[in-house]
Coordinates of all heavy atoms in Angstrom, one line a residue:
D25 N 95.0 107.0 85.7 CA 94.8 106.5 87.1 C 95.1 105.0 87.1 O 94.8 104.3 86.2 CB 93.3 106.8 87.5 CG 93.1 108.2 88.0 OD1 94.0 108.7 88.7 OD2 92.0 108.7 87.7
P26 N 95.7 104.6 88.2 CA 95.9 103.1 88.4 C 94.6 102.4 88.4 O 93.5 103.0 88.9 CB 96.7 103.0 89.7 CG 96.3 104.3 90.4 CD 96.2 105.3 89.4
P27 N 94.5 101.2 88.0 CA 93.2 100.4 88.0 C 92.7 100.3 89.5 O 93.5 100.2 90.4 CB 93.6 99.1 87.4 CG 95.0 99.0 87.6 CD 95.6 100.4 87.5
P28 N 91.4 100.2 89.7 CA 90.9 100.0 91.0 C 91.3 98.6 91.5 O 91.4 97.7 90.8 CB 89.4 100.2 90.9 CG 89.1 99.9 89.4 CD 90.3 100.3 88.7
A29 N 91.4 98.5 92.9 CA 91.7 97.2 93.5 C 90.5 96.3 93.3 O 89.3 96.8 93.3 CB 92.0 97.4 94.9
P30 N 90.7 95.0 93.1 CA 89.6 94.1 92.9 C 88.8 94.0 94.2 O 89.3 94.2 95.3 CB 90.2 92.8 92.6 CG 91.6 92.9 93.1 CD 92.0 94.3 92.9
L31 N 87.5 93.8 94.1 CA 86.6 93.8 95.3 C 87.1 92.6 96.2 O 87.2 92.8 97.4 CB 85.2 93.6 94.9 CG 84.2 93.6 96.1 CD1 84.2 94.9 96.8 CD2 82.8 93.3 95.5
I32 N 87.2 91.5 95.6 CA 87.7 90.3 96.4 C 88.9 89.7 95.7 O 88.8 89.2 94.6 CB 86.6 89.2 96.5 CG1 85.4 89.8 97.3 CG2 87.1 88.0 97.3 CD1 84.2 88.9 97.4
D33 N 90.0 89.8 96.3 CA 91.3 89.4 95.7 C 91.8 88.2 96.6 O 92.6 88.4 97.5 CB 92.3 90.5 95.7 CG 93.6 90.2 94.9 OD1 93.6 89.0 94.4 OD2 94.5 91.0 94.8
E36 N 95.8 87.5 97.2 CA 96.5 88.1 98.2 C 96.8 87.1 99.4 O 97.9 87.2 100.0 CB 95.8 89.3 98.8 CG 95.7 90.5 97.9 CD 95.0 91.7 98.6 OE1 94.0 91.5 99.2 OE2 95.6 92.8 98.5
H110 N 97.9 102.6 107.4 CA 96.5 103.0 107.8 C 96.3 103.3 109.3 O 95.9 104.4 109.7 CB 95.5 101.9 107.3 CG 95.5 101.7 105.9 ND1 94.5 100.9 105.3 CD2 96.3 102.1 104.9 CE1 94.7 100.9 104.0 NE2 95.8 101.6 103.7
A114 N 88.8 103.5 110.1 CA 88.1 104.5 109.3 C 88.9 104.8 108.0 O 88.3 105.0 107.0 CB 87.9 105.8 110.1
V115 N 90.2 105.0 108.2 CA 91.1 105.2 107.0 C 91.0 104.0 106.0 O 90.8 104.2 104.8 CB 92.5 105.5 107.4 CG1 93.5 105.5 106.2 CG2 92.6 106.8 108.2
T116 N 91.1 102.8 106.5 CA 91.0 101.6 105.7 C 89.6 101.6 105.0 O 89.5 101.3 103.8 CB 91.1 100.4 106.6 OG1 92.4 100.4 107.2 CG2 91.0 99.1 105.7
F117 N 88.5 101.9 105.7 CA 87.2 101.9 105.2 C 87.1 102.9 104.0 O 86.5 102.7 103.0 CB 86.2 102.2 106.2 CG 84.8 102.3 105.8 CD1 84.1 101.1 105.3 CD2 84.0 103.4 105.8 CE1 82.8 101.1 104.9 CE2 82.7 103.5 105.3 CZ 82.1 102.3 104.9
G118 N 87.6 104.1 104.2 CA 87.6 105.2 103.2 C 88.4 104.7 102.0 O 87.9 104.9 100.8
L119 N 89.5 104.1 102.1 CA 90.3 103.7 101.0 C 89.7 102.5 100.3 O 89.8 102.3 99.1 CB 91.7 103.3 101.5 CG 92.6 104.5 102.0 CD1 93.9 104.0 102.6 CD2 92.8 105.5 100.9
F120 N 88.9 101.7 101.1 CA 88.2 100.6 100.4 C 87.1 101.1 99.6 O 86.9 100.7 98.4 CB 87.6 99.7 101.5 CG 86.6 98.7 101.0 CD1 86.9 97.7 100.2 CD2 85.2 98.9 101.4 CE1 85.9 96.8 99.7 CE2 84.3 98.1 100.9 CZ 84.6 97.0 100.0
L121 N 86.3 102.1 100.1 CA 85.3 102.7 99.3 C 85.8 103.3 98.0 O 85.1 103.3 97.0 CB 84.5 103.8 100.1 CG 83.7 103.3 101.3 CD1 83.0 104.4 102.0 CD2 82.7 102.2 100.9
A122 N 87.0 103.8 98.0 CA 87.6 104.4 96.8 C 88.3 103.4 96.0 O 89.0 103.7 95.0 CB 88.7 105.5 97.3
R123 N 88.2 102.1 96.3 CA 88.8 101.0 95.6 C 90.3 101.0 95.6 O 90.9 100.7 94.6 CB 88.2 100.9 94.2 CG 86.7 100.8 94.1 CD 86.2 99.4 94.6 NE 86.8 98.3 93.9 CZ 86.3 97.8 92.7 NH1 85.2 98.4 92.2 NH2 86.9 96.8 92.1
K124 N 90.9 101.5 96.7 CA 92.3 101.5 96.8 C 92.8 100.2 97.4 O 94.0 99.8 97.2 CB 92.8 102.7 97.7 CG 92.3 104.0 97.3 CD 92.9 104.4 95.9 CE 92.5 105.9 95.6 NZ 93.0 106.3 94.3
V125 N 92.0 99.5 98.2 CA 92.3 98.2 98.8 C 91.1 97.3 98.5 O 90.0 97.7 98.4 CB 92.6 98.3 100.3 CG1 93.9 99.1 100.5 CG2 91.5 98.9 101.0
S126 N 91.4 96.0 98.5 CA 90.4 95.0 98.3 C 89.6 94.8 99.6 O 90.0 95.2 100.7 CB 91.0 93.6 97.9 OG 91.7 93.1 98.9
L127 N 88.4 94.1 99.5 CA 87.6 93.8 100.7 C 88.4 92.9 101.7 O 88.3 93.1 102.9 CB 86.3 93.2 100.3 CG 85.4 92.7 101.4 CD1 84.9 94.0 102.2 CD2 84.1 92.0 100.8
V128 N 89.1 91.9 101.1 CA 89.8 91.0 102.0 C 90.9 91.7 102.8 O 91.0 91.5 104.0 CB 90.5 89.9 101.1 CG1 91.4 89.0 102.0 CG2 89.5 89.0 100.4
R129 N 91.6 92.6 102.1 CA 92.7 93.3 102.8 C 92.1 94.3 103.8 O 92.6 94.5 104.9 CB 93.5 94.1 101.8 CG 94.7 94.9 102.4 CD 95.6 95.5 101.3 NE 96.3 94.5 100.6 CZ 97.6 94.2 100.8 NH1 98.2 94.7 101.8 NH2 98.2 93.3 100.0
A130 N 91.0 94.9 103.5 CA 90.3 95.9 104.4 C 89.9 95.2 105.7 O 90.1 95.7 106.8 CB 89.1 96.6 103.7
V187 N 90.7 111.7 106.9 CA 90.7 110.9 105.7 C 90.8 111.7 104.5 O 91.5 111.3 103.5 CB 89.4 110.0 105.7 CG1 89.3 109.2 104.4 CG2 89.3 109.1 106.9
F191 N 93.7 111.1 101.6 CA 93.5 111.1 100.1 C 94.4 112.1 99.4 O 95.0 111.8 98.4 CB 92.1 111.3 99.8 CG 91.2 110.0 99.9 CD1 90.3 109.8 100.9 CD2 91.3 109.1 98.9 CE1 89.6 108.7 100.9 CE2 90.6 107.9 98.9 CZ 89.7 107.7 99.9
T194 N 98.2 111.3 99.5 CA 98.6 110.1 98.8 C 98.0 110.0 97.4 O 98.1 108.9 96.8 CB 98.2 108.8 99.6 OG1 96.8 108.8 99.7 CG2 98.8 108.8 101.0
P196 N 97.8 109.6 93.8 CA 98.8 109.2 92.8 C 99.0 110.2 91.7 O 100.1 110.4 91.2 CB 98.3 107.9 92.3 CG 96.8 107.9 92.6 CD 96.7 108.7 93.8
A264 N 84.6 109.1 107.1 CA 85.4 108.5 106.0 C 84.7 108.3 104.7 O 85.3 108.6 103.6 CB 86.0 107.1 106.5
A265 N 83.5 107.9 104.8 CA 82.7 107.7 103.5 C 82.5 109.1 102.8 O 82.6 109.1 101.6 CB 81.3 107.1 103.8
A267 N 84.5 111.7 103.0 CA 85.8 112.1 102.5 C 86.1 111.4 101.2 O 86.6 112.0 100.3 CB 86.8 111.9 103.6
A268 N 85.8 110.1 101.2 CA 86.1 109.3 100.0 C 85.3 109.8 98.8 O 85.8 109.9 97.7 CB 85.8 107.8 100.3
F269 N 84.0 110.0 99.1 CA 83.1 110.5 98.0 C 83.6 111.9 97.5 O 83.6 112.2 96.3 CB 81.7 110.6 98.5 CG 80.7 111.2 97.5 CD1 80.1 110.5 96.5 CD2 80.4 112.6 97.6 CE1 79.3 111.0 95.6 CE2 79.5 113.1 96.7 CZ 79.0 112.4 95.7
H271 N 86.5 113.3 97.7 CA 87.8 113.4 96.9 C 87.7 112.7 95.6 O 88.1 113.2 94.6 CB 88.9 112.7 97.8 CG 90.2 112.7 97.1 ND1 90.7 111.7 96.2 CD2 91.2 113.6 97.2 CE1 91.9 112.1 95.8 NE2 92.2 113.2 96.4
Q272 N 87.0 111.5 95.5 CA 87.0 110.7 94.3 C 86.0 111.3 93.3 O 86.3 111.3 92.1 CB 86.6 109.3 94.6 CG 87.6 108.5 95.4 CD 88.9 108.4 94.7 OE1 89.9 109.0 95.0 NE2 89.0 107.5 93.7
F273 N 84.9 111.8 93.8 CA 83.8 112.2 92.8 C 83.7 113.7 92.6 O 83.1 114.1 91.6 CB 82.5 111.6 93.3 CG 82.4 110.1 93.1 CD1 82.7 109.3 94.2 CD2 82.0 109.6 91.9 CE1 82.6 107.9 94.0 CE2 81.9 108.2 91.7 CZ 82.2 107.4 92.8
R276 N 88.4 114.8 92.2 CA 88.9 114.0 91.1 C 88.0 113.9 89.9 O 88.3 113.1 89.0 CB 89.4 112.7 91.6 CG 90.6 112.7 92.6 CD 91.8 113.3 91.9 NE 92.2 112.7 90.7 CZ 92.9 111.6 90.6 NH1 93.3 111.0 91.7 NH2 93.2 111.1 89.5

Side-chain angles (χ1 to χ4, degrees):
D25 280 321
L31 181 61
I32 299 177
D33 188 3
E36 288 184 315
H110 296 193
V115 171
T116 301
F117 180 66
L119 293 174
F120 165 70
L121 292 180
R123 301 294 300 275
K124 303 295 185 182
V125 295
S126 68
L127 178 61
V128 174
R129 184 175 291 264
V187 178
F191 274 108
T194 60
F269 175 83
H271 184 269
Q272 294 296 106
F273 289 94
R276 293 298 307 277

